[in-house]
Amino acid sequence: MFVYEKKLQYPVRIKNCNPKLATVILSQYGGSDGELAASLRYLSQRFSMPYPELKGLLTDIGTEELGHLEMVGAILHQLTRNLSEEQIKTAGFDTYFVDHTAGVYPAASAGWPFTAASLQVKGDVICDLTEDMAAEQKARVTYDNILRLSDDPDVNDVIRFLREREIVHFQRFGEALELAKAKMDQKNVYYLNPAFDRG
Amino acid sequence: MYIESDNTRACGDGVGTLPGCAPLAVPYVPFQQESAQKYGQADALANGTLFPGLNLPFHVKVSPGNLPRTACAELQALQFVLVELGLYLDTHKEDKEAFQLFQKYAAALEEGKKRYEAMYGPLTLCAAAKDAAYEWLDDPWPWEYKQEGAGK
C-alpha cells in the first residue's frame, strides 16, 4: 500500500507565475514520456517480474516517480497562481484555461489527455527493462528541452534535479538487466521468458 | 563535500571497457562499482544524486540546485540519501558498506522527522494522532509556496 508523506521530494519554490512555461512543463505531468506514465509503467510491470531485485527496483523507482509527479504538479500550480486577466490570454495557455481553468490536468503540452497507450507492460523481463531504460532516456530529453525553453532559475533548479534522477534510474535499470541476464540462459538469453515460462 | 574516497576502486568513473566476449544483441550497462565517491546529503539533494560519478548535467544548467535553508530541505536531504541508497542496494544488495550507510541515514532520518513534526506538524496521517488536536489539515500543503513568511 501507499502512505502519503506531507512533503515534496525536493523543494519547489517558484516566485513568478508564468503560464506559458506551465504549458511546456505540462508534458512531464501527463505526457507520453512524463512522470505519470513512468510511475504506472513501473508499478504495473512489477507484478509479473520473476526476481526479487526486479520486483523491488520497479516498486521503489515507481514510487519515486509518484513523488516526481507531485513535484511537477507543484511546479504547474505555482506557475499558474494568481493569474491576471491578461495572463490567462497568454498564447498557448488560453486553450488550456478554457478547459481546466488553473487546475492541474494530466495531458501532454500538445493537448492530448494522458493515455496509457504511450506505455507498455509486455510481461517479458528483457523487453520491459529495455522499455524502462528507453523511458528514462525519453524523460531525460524532455527535461533537456524544458531547460532549453525555460529561463526561470526557480524552475530550472527543480528540472535539473528531476533530469538527474532519470540518469540514475537508467543506471539502475541497466544493472537490474545485468542481474536478470545472469540468471538466464548464458548462451541465449532469449531462449525463454522467465516472467512466463517455467524453465 | 565527499564523505568517502574512491581509492579502493579498480577504475574511475567514466573509464574502462566492456568485456570483448559480452553477449550479443542485448543492452549492457556496467555495474556501478562499490565504494563509489559520495556527496554529503545536502550536495546529494542539490545535484539529484548521491554519486558524483552519476552526476551528468545538461550544458544549459550545470550548477547544482540552490536549496533553501529550511528544516524541510534538511529533512528532504536525509530522505533523498535514503531513497538513493535504496535504489543502489536494490542492485547491490551484497555491498555491506553501503548498507551500513543506509542504516546510518535511516536513523538520522527517523530523528529528523521527530524534530520536524514537533515544530511543523505531522508528516503522515498516522503521526497526526500524536498531537493534542487534529493538525493534519493545516496549511501549507507541500505544493503551496508563499514568498513571504514561508516558514517551511
Side-chain angles (χ1 to χ4, degrees):
Chain A
M1 71 169 287
F2 287 91
V3 176
Y4 185 67
E5 263 197 21
K6 202 173 169 183
K7 66 175 171 54
L8 300 178
Q9 190 188 18
Y10 181 99
V12 176
R13 298 154 64 96
I14 293 160
K15 294 181 211 71
N16 305 312
C17 75
N18 184 341
K20 193 168 177 59
L21 183 54
T23 61
V24 165
I25 292 172
L26 183 63
S27 266
Q28 283 299 61
Y29 196 76
S32 57
D33 306 325
E35 301 291 356
L36 180 57
S39 180
L40 280 181
R41 176 186 286 114
Y42 307 150
L43 292 177
S44 299
Q45 285 178 355
R46 66 193 170 130
F47 293 109
S48 60
M49 283 297 174
Y51 309 131
E53 295 89 343
L54 304 185
K55 298 175 205 176
L57 188 68
L58 285 166
T59 299
D60 294 342
I61 296 183
T63 302
E64 188 183 347
E65 305 290 12
L66 282 176
H68 295 172
L69 180 72
E70 185 185 32
M71 284 171 59
V72 175
I75 296 174
L76 296 173
H77 168 67
Q78 293 180 20
L79 284 174
T80 55
R81 280 172 310 186
N82 310 319
L83 293 178
S84 67
E85 290 285 313
E86 220 30 62
Q87 281 172 318
I88 66 171
K89 293 176 188 163
T90 305
F93 183 73
D94 51 356
T95 51
Y96 179 89
F97 182 84
V98 73
D99 287 331
H100 312 294
T101 324
V104 175
Y105 177 72
S109 291
W112 296 103
F114 175 76
T115 168
S118 62
L119 60 90
Q120 179 59 290
V121 179
K122 203 70 178 176
D124 176 282
V125 172
I126 294 177
C127 182
D128 280 347
L129 287 172
T130 305
E131 151 127 356
D132 300 343
M133 290 163 69
E136 296 295 334
Q137 291 297 347
K138 289 186 283 184
R140 191 263 307 165
V141 175
T142 309
Y143 284 127
D144 287 356
N145 292 341
I146 290 172
L147 287 172
R148 292 181 204 273
L149 291 166
S150 163
D151 56 4
D152 183 329
D154 294 340
V155 170
N156 291 358
D157 271 8
V158 187
I159 299 298
R160 186 205 188 277
F161 173 88
L162 291 168
R163 175 190 175 279
E164 176 58 35
R165 297 311 294 151
E166 313 298 345
I167 291 171
V168 173
H169 293 169
F170 180 89
Q171 173 67 24
R172 298 296 167 238
F173 281 130
E175 290 166 347
L177 183 55
E178 292 305 308
L179 290 171
K181 277 153 61 182
K183 297 179 187 187
M184 295 160 81
D185 187 318
Q186 293 302 294
K187 290 209 177 82
N188 175 8
V189 290
Y190 299 115
Y191 190 67
L192 51 75
N193 169 16
F196 184 77
D197 301 301
R198 293 163 196 273
Chain B
M1 180 184 66
Y2 300 111
I3 55 177
E4 248 173 79
S5 75
D6 67 340
N7 53 14
T8 56
R9 292 190 292 156
C11 56
D13 297 316
V15 297
T17 53
L18 282 173
C21 52
L24 300 179
V26 70
Y28 189 109
V29 171
F31 267 93
Q32 187 175 13
Q33 298 169 91
E34 296 190 2
S35 307
Q37 278 189 326
K38 296 175 190 72
Y39 292 121
Q41 70 257 27
D43 288 333
L45 184 66
N47 283 292
T49 179
L50 178 63
F51 304 102
L54 281 171
N55 188 12
L56 304 168
F58 189 50
H59 68 94
V60 172
K61 169 68 179 160
V62 175
S63 61
N66 188 20
L67 294 174
R69 290 187 183 179
T70 60
C72 189
E74 278 177 34
L75 195 63
Q76 284 164 325
L78 288 175
Q79 179 109 51
F80 177 70
V81 174
L82 211 68
V83 166
E84 178 81 321
L85 279 173
L87 298 188
Y88 173 85
L89 285 165
D90 285 347
T91 56
H92 298 76
K93 65 179 176 184
E94 308 297 341
D95 187 339
K96 291 193 181 70
E97 203 181 307
F99 183 62
Q100 281 168 6
L101 193 64
F102 180 75
Q103 289 176 310
K104 200 182 106 188
Y105 270 101
L109 178 63
E110 190 93 355
E111 279 308 304
K113 277 185 181 170
K114 271 185 209 153
R115 282 197 306 273
Y116 181 90
E117 287 182 323
M119 290 184 73
Y120 300 106
L123 285 163
T124 60
L125 186 61
C126 189
K130 287 184 265 180
D131 300 317
Y134 191 63
E135 293 175 20
W136 175 244
L137 303 176
D138 293 1
D139 281 336
W141 283 76
W143 52 88
E144 295 168 333
Y145 170 59
K146 289 187 187 73
Q147 234 180 302
E148 279 121 352
K152 290 176 116 176

